[in-house]
Amino acid sequence: MTRLTVTEASATYEAAMRNVRPAGPGVCARCHTFIDPSYAVCLTCSRQANTLDVVTPITYSEHLGQLHTALRNYKDGPVSVQRYAMVRLAAILWRFVATHEPCIARAAGVQRFDVVTSVPSGAPARDEERRNLRTIVGWCEPLGDRFSRVLRSTGSAVGRSYDEHRYVVTDRLDGRSVLLIDDTWASGGHAQSAGHALRRAGANAVALIAIGRHVQPGWRITEDETSGERLAALPRRFDWATCCVH
Amino acid sequence: MFAVRSLMSSRETAAMLALTARRVLPWNRIAGEVEERGGALALLEQLDREAQTRLFDVDDQQLTLDELEDLVHAYEAEGIGLVTVLDDAYPVNLRTVHDRPPLLFVRGALAEDDQRSVAVVGTRSASDRGLRQARSVACDLAAAGYVVVSGLAAGIDTAAHTATLEAGGRTVTVIGTGLRVAFPAENAPLQERLGREAAVLSQFWPAQGPRKWTFPQRNAVMSGFARATVVVEASRTSGARMQARLALEHGRPVFLLRSLLEHDWAQAYERRPGVYVVEEGAEVVDHLERLYAEQLTLAP
């Protein structure tokens, strides 16, 4: 069996990775997207319930950029190339968690996470067949033995928005802390819906890691600034030693 | 049924040509937008409500969408195939890079094996050592069943193509002009041969001549088409160096021949993740077998 080290594999898309900014002026306090500095949270977050103690995207992911392309290909790309992207994305998650789980736990007010789970992919039938996200979370040694597939899609929700009935939890999670994993945060509707279901099942803390915080470069933050300009102004070298709640 | 399908797809191909001719989107964003919209015609009509009656500038002609559809058939009659991102035949590796071109003009035939492509690139003014290295790397790759891709320029590119042909391997070229143009002119017979025996690819209109901007765009496509890029001999200003940067942006490995380390740029690249310094083609093959292993797993 051929093995690739986490360090080597996680660097594959490094040229397209950008460290996510900590919450603060111009950065949404919840999802870390770029905003007008006169607000604390972005419009989308301000309009939907917050069920998550902390949201930690690993990197910004520019719409139609290389990371966005990889985040799509690992589950919807040609079958022969899915594995290439899956191994690399798993390595990104592994390397990030190995370094930053303590920061995320601290931000969520817990010692460590008892349960690791992932956001289901689409409607129930689709989620059965699309196991790519669950597979890569399972490959991450720092997470694998705590992984449990506790969320199920109900199939009742449409679109991408927050819906309290989008997911159900199969077991009770009373008093347990949950680390929720998703590949991409675009509007956060799915992740927040998952957070709601986990809390309803008794979880006392829910933190989210998303590999990519999706950014639409054409989005106008203010009259004279776009998200793309903010993205372009970030340091080009990805620093694995820091995270947005470091 | 087949007739209807091909009729629909040539309309889509014509719409893709129209999108390219209109230049309302950068060339490297058209493919992504078309895929999101579910079709070229749908995107064209969204961007341009008069698309069905508009005239598009192509090769100094002004053509309607209907005439662009005729043009697709005329190209095919001339031996120039068109493959768009909406076609199953679009190269798999290229499909997975962010700046994939919306369509490719193809002389010859794409093959399933092209997924095992490796680009071998370098300077036009190559030294004897460089030419020897290019030939050796190409032969090692061909012997291991890889398709050797290069840019049909003088120097390293030509050495890589001809050595692969001599070794009985498949070699494909991605050129920096349109398919009706040969640059440099002395490589016209080689271009013709590759079009007959393998494939010549171009993202440019068939009559497009060589320009400063065509070569960097071509390098992006060559990197995307290949699993990896091997740089044999290249100065700081070489297009090969640019292709190394583009390959890293694509998440593809870059191999530098050790002799390149006499250049500052190569010393800086050596420290970047995804870059491997090698002595010979066999080492490239070893790395590729590992990096692209089907049952690849992670180790701490």
Side-chain angles (χ1 to χ4, degrees):
Chain A
M1 193 178 292
T2 315
R3 285 154 80 86
L4 198 58
T5 69
V6 170
T7 309
E8 188 178 7
S10 62
T12 303
Y13 299 114
E14 218 174 275
M17 292 172 70
R18 296 290 179 274
N19 284 99
V20 172
R21 305 287 303 145
V27 177
C28 175
R30 223 164 271 167
C31 74
H32 301 263
T33 195
F34 305 117
I35 54 169
D36 182 333
S38 52
Y39 295 91
V41 293
C42 70
L43 189 64
T44 310
C45 285
S46 74
R47 286 178 177 173
Q48 81 191 351
N50 183 28
T51 66
L52 304 166
D53 292 297
V54 56
V55 175
T56 39
I58 299 176
T59 164
Y60 290 112
S61 165
E62 183 177 355
H63 182 66
L64 299 182
Q66 190 58 53
L67 202 72
H68 179 207
T69 308
L71 284 165
R72 255 194 201 164
N73 280 327
Y74 93 95
K75 50 187 185 188
D76 292 327
V79 175
S80 60
V81 301
Q82 284 188 14
R83 182 93 177 190
Y84 187 86
M86 283 173 76
V87 169
R88 275 73 187 176
L89 293 173
I92 289 172
L93 187 59
W94 180 330
R95 188 167 174 186
F96 184 80
V97 168
T99 316
H100 300 294
E101 184 178 348
C103 322
I104 300 164
R106 182 168 11 88
V110 295
Q111 288 290 319
R112 84 190 282 271
F113 296 100
D114 307 315
V115 177
V116 176
T117 197
S118 59
V119 177
S121 178
R126 195 161 164 73
D127 187 44
E128 280 312 313
E129 126 205 348
R130 292 219 303 181
R131 58 190 73 220
N132 306 42
L133 177 60
R134 296 196 293 277
T135 303
I136 68 172
V137 176
W139 284 345
C140 291
E141 264 180 36
L143 299 178
D145 58 349
R146 283 175 285 165
F147 181 79
S148 170
R149 189 183 167 199
V150 297
L151 286 158
R152 290 288 193 282
S153 289
T154 59
S156 72
V158 290
R160 310 181 56 87
S161 60
Y162 177 73
D163 188 320
E164 294 184 353
H165 304 291
R166 185 179 287 277
Y167 306 113
V168 287
V169 171
T170 48
D171 299 309
R172 289 301 302 172
L173 293 167
D174 296 294
R176 310 193 73 191
S177 56
V178 181
L179 180 58
L180 180 62
I181 311 287
D182 204 356
D183 47 25
T184 301
W185 176 294
S187 66
H190 289 174
Q192 293 286 13
S193 305
H196 176 82
L198 293 166
R199 288 201 186 276
R200 204 170 43 203
N204 74 336
V206 184
L208 178 97
I209 295 178
I211 298 174
R213 175 55 180 99
H214 196 77
V215 175
Q216 286 283 355
W219 174 258
R220 296 211 81 81
I221 302 168
T222 61
E223 278 201 4
D224 43 28
E225 201 182 20
T226 64
S227 289
E229 286 161 353
R230 286 273 195 98
L231 204 52
L234 293 176
R236 295 184 73 83
R237 189 168 289 271
F238 188 80
D239 181 4
W240 289 96
T242 191
C243 74
C244 64
V245 294
H246 199 69
Chain B
M1 189 62 198
F2 178 75
V4 174
R5 268 174 53 91
S6 69
L7 199 69
M8 280 176 61
S9 82
S10 71
R11 191 69 172 178
E12 279 292 315
T13 305
M16 205 71 93
L17 287 173
L19 283 166
T20 309
R22 279 281 276 154
R23 296 189 194 162
V24 277
L25 288 170
W27 72 275
N28 56 6
R29 283 291 174 265
I30 295 174
E33 297 285 350
V34 164
E35 288 161 343
E36 294 216 321
R37 202 65 52 198
L41 206 51
L43 178 64
L44 181 66
E45 285 175 342
Q46 186 206 324
L47 294 172
D48 183 355
R49 287 199 311 199
E50 271 111 66
Q52 296 290 350
T53 53
R54 185 174 297 283
L55 292 174
F56 299 94
D57 290 325
V58 175
D59 287 352
D60 298 325
Q61 286 177 282
Q62 296 230 306
L63 303 177
T64 64
L65 199 53
D66 285 339
E67 288 167 332
L68 283 175
E69 207 173 332
D70 295 338
L71 186 63
V72 173
H73 297 300
Y75 283 145
E76 279 163 4
E78 190 190 330
I80 295 176
L82 274 94
V83 180
T84 81
V85 280
L86 300 170
D87 297 321
D88 291 339
Y90 192 86
V92 169
N93 294 333
L94 196 54
R95 197 183 280 289
T96 62
V97 298
H98 69 99
D99 49 1
R100 57 200 172 281
L103 75 155
L104 288 172
F105 296 91
V106 183
R107 209 185 276 284
L110 293 164
E112 211 166 311
D113 280 357
D114 291 343
Q115 205 178 337
R116 285 175 62 84
S117 284
V118 177
V120 178
V121 294
T123 178
R124 287 154 210 262
S125 45
S127 68
D128 287 345
R129 181 183 65 180
L131 295 173
R132 234 179 6 254
Q133 287 171 324
R135 279 195 290 267
S136 162
V137 167
C139 288
D140 286 347
L141 288 168
Y146 285 94
V147 175
V148 173
V149 187
S150 196
L152 207 73
I156 299 297
D157 290 14
T158 299
H161 286 305
T162 51
T164 310
L165 288 172
E166 283 161 20
R170 177 175 164 87
T171 178
V172 169
T173 183
V174 184
I175 61 174
T177 64
L179 289 179
R180 289 185 195 138
V181 182
F183 181 83
E186 57 267 31
N187 263 350
L190 181 57
Q191 181 166 331
E192 205 260 330
R193 181 175 176 194
L194 293 181
R196 213 172 45 239
E197 296 179 14
V200 182
L201 313 181
S202 168
Q203 75 239 62
F204 306 109
W205 296 99
Q208 176 66 54
R211 296 286 182 277
K212 263 206 163 111
W213 54 268
T214 57
F215 293 98
Q217 290 189 10
R218 179 280 305 271
N219 285 110
V221 173
M222 202 200 310
S223 162
F225 185 83
R227 282 188 173 178
T229 289
V230 184
V231 184
V232 176
E233 189 176 49
S235 69
R236 169 174 291 281
T237 54
S238 164
R241 177 187 171 228
M242 172 181 296
Q243 187 163 323
R245 177 173 64 75
L246 295 166
L248 293 180
E249 283 176 13
H250 290 156
R252 302 276 164 84
V254 170
F255 299 97
L256 304 180
L257 268 285
R258 183 165 301 284
S259 46
L260 274 171
L261 293 180
E262 63 196 35
H263 298 288
D264 292 350
W265 76 262
Q267 289 169 21
Y269 260 69
E270 187 190 6
R271 293 188 289 274
R272 296 182 60 170
V275 175
Y276 304 84
V277 175
V278 294
E279 303 280 351
E280 54 175 13
E283 271 183 77
V284 174
V285 170
D286 286 347
H287 277 296
L288 289 173
E289 296 301 317
R290 187 174 61 92
L291 294 166
Y292 283 89
E294 269 175 39
Q295 294 305 317
L296 192 63
T297 55
L298 289 168

